[in-house]
Amino acid sequence: MTVLHVPDGTDFSLVCDGCGMVVDHLGANLHNWELAWSLLRRHGWIGERSAGGPHGCRRCSASGVLTFDR
Ligand SMILES: [Zn+2]
């Protein structure tokens, strides 16, 4: 489970599956997963397009801690 939703469903956070880094308040700022992920991709995140993950932050991607098929 990579994306954490808050109970009221208005906000969500993304957790790196490599180091556990959390990006908070994505839902509050970007409103939906598609938009949030496209932004994170530009910031170096790698992983599945779906919210189910796995996902890795730029640091894990660069260090080779996480490797994905695509
Ligand atoms: Zn990471």
Side-chain angles (χ1 to χ4, degrees):
M1 181 79 179
T2 303
V3 175
L4 305 177
H5 291 270
V6 296
D8 67 4
T10 59
D11 197 5
F12 59 87
S13 303
L14 176 63
V15 183
C16 173
D17 290 299
C19 65
M21 185 179 82
V22 179
V23 182
D24 281 322
H25 306 307
L26 286 172
N29 294 324
L30 296 166
H31 309 300
N32 66 64
W33 165 249
E34 293 290 325
L35 209 56
W37 183 236
S38 67
L39 182 74
L40 289 161
R41 295 269 303 189
R42 287 202 292 272
H43 284 269
W45 281 68
I46 58 170
E48 292 291 333
R49 184 174 165 79
S50 77
H55 305 105
C57 71
R58 177 171 54 188
R59 193 178 68 185
C60 290
S61 171
S63 67
V65 169
L66 288 176
T67 56
F68 298 109
D69 288 339
R70 59 193 64 193

